[in-house]
Amino acid sequence: AAGVIQSPRHLIKEKRETATLKCYPIPRHDTVYWYQQGPGQDPQFLISFYEKMQSDKGSIPDRFSAQQFSDYHSELNMSSLELGDSALYFCASSARGVFPDFIYTGELFFGEGSRLTVL
Amino acid sequence: QKEVEQNSGPLSVPEGAIASLNCTYSDRGSQSFFWYRQYSGKSPELIMSIYSNGDKEDGRFTAQLNKASQYVSLLIRDSQPSDSATYLCAVNEDSGGYQKVTFGTGTKLQVIP
């Protein structure tokens, strides 16, 4: 079965540089979430999109922005990178609604994550 | 204040014992409850979901939900060393057309051989 695809898996940047992470949700999933997880911490919610519109916003710095495109893939753009931005970034997707062959459950399916290291 | 509370642990249990993980939440409007398992450096993996009061069993895992007490738990029977991981409780509220998911801080479980 298709899963959530994230790219790149690993990324190394210098301070003050810019990074872009991509996420391709499971087909027919209409909601995408971005989470940041630092070492030894629980996932911190950054932002979510429902049907290509921003639906909720968490602790996302102003230096970060995200969007969801017409094909439902999402990109997280991070500028003026700081050392503290080094973390695992997870994308997750879920489905809402009743489809012919499944019912909304609210379960999140996570990608394998993108590890960002800022030097 | 965190809306979903878990004991951070570590919770240590001997192999073959029952591990009991607990979670409380503050939002009475929450509708769906999940337990995710996360190995170090890996993404969270859904292991149990529960939507109504009572118990739900799946293999060695049992989820328990008590909405009146705003409490959800996960029992792992016959614990194995491979169960050693961080267990994240997640609460989902369908809010105005979109989903709001809140994770707890996670409980680290160590199963001692």
Side-chain angles (χ1 to χ4, degrees):
Chain A
V4 177
I5 306 298
Q6 289 188 249
S7 66
R9 295 292 311 281
H10 302 273
L11 192 60
I12 299 175
K13 291 287 186 178
E14 300 279 343
K15 284 196 304 184
R16 292 179 289 276
E17 285 191 323
T18 298
T20 297
L21 306 180
K22 295 184 178 182
C23 170
Y24 295 85
I26 293 172
R28 296 195 298 174
H29 278 196
D30 51 25
T31 306
V32 167
Y33 307 79
W34 285 98
Y35 289 87
Q36 177 193 58
Q37 188 172 32
Q41 298 178 0
D42 58 295
Q44 294 296 311
F45 171 69
L46 294 178
I47 195 167
S48 64
F49 293 88
Y50 171 63
E51 285 291 345
K52 294 162 281 185
M53 298 290 288
Q54 180 181 311
S55 55
D56 199 7
K57 194 171 182 180
S59 52
I60 184 169
D62 292 340
R63 300 177 289 107
F64 292 11
S65 65
Q67 57 182 324
Q68 188 177 29
F69 295 86
S70 58
D71 64 352
Y72 288 89
H73 95 271
S74 178
E75 295 185 3
L76 178 66
N77 299 293
M78 300 173 285
S79 62
S80 302
L81 288 170
E82 302 174 356
L83 295 178
D85 297 329
S86 296
L88 265 173
Y89 290 82
F90 291 111
C91 173
S93 72
S94 68
R96 183 182 182 278
V98 178
F99 296 90
D101 54 352
F102 71 92
I103 297 174
Y104 156 77
T105 61
E107 299 170 348
L108 264 60
F109 295 85
F110 284 83
E112 294 188 334
S114 295
R115 181 175 294 280
L116 172 66
T117 302
V118 181
L119 302 176
Chain B
Q1 180 181 357
K2 191 75 174 180
E3 296 176 356
V4 180
E5 299 279 354
Q6 292 182 254
N7 188 324
S8 62
L11 173 66
S12 294
V13 299
E15 184 175 356
I18 296 175
S20 178
L21 306 167
N22 303 314
C23 173
T24 59
Y25 60 95
S26 61
D27 190 344
R28 288 192 173 273
S30 301
Q31 301 170 342
S32 310
F33 308 86
F34 306 94
W35 284 98
Y36 290 83
R37 176 177 62 198
Q38 186 176 27
Y39 294 111
S40 180
K42 302 295 185 182
S43 60
E45 173 193 15
L46 180 72
I47 54 172
M48 286 289 287
S49 58
I50 188 165
Y51 307 99
S52 55
N53 282 328
D55 295 359
K56 179 181 178 182
E57 185 175 322
D58 184 2
R60 295 185 296 111
F61 299 97
T62 299
Q64 300 174 318
L65 174 62
N66 184 326
K67 290 186 179 179
S69 300
Q70 296 174 245
Y71 173 90
V72 58
S73 65
L74 179 70
L75 300 177
I76 306 175
R77 290 182 299 281
D78 188 23
S79 296
Q80 301 297 308
S82 59
D83 294 327
S84 298
T86 295
Y87 289 79
L88 298 163
C89 172
V91 175
N92 185 320
E93 177 186 357
D94 194 346
S95 174
Y98 64 90
Q99 301 171 45
K100 181 178 173 65
V101 180
T102 304
F103 281 89
T105 51
T107 297
K108 186 173 183 179
L109 174 66
Q110 295 177 339
V111 180
I112 311 300

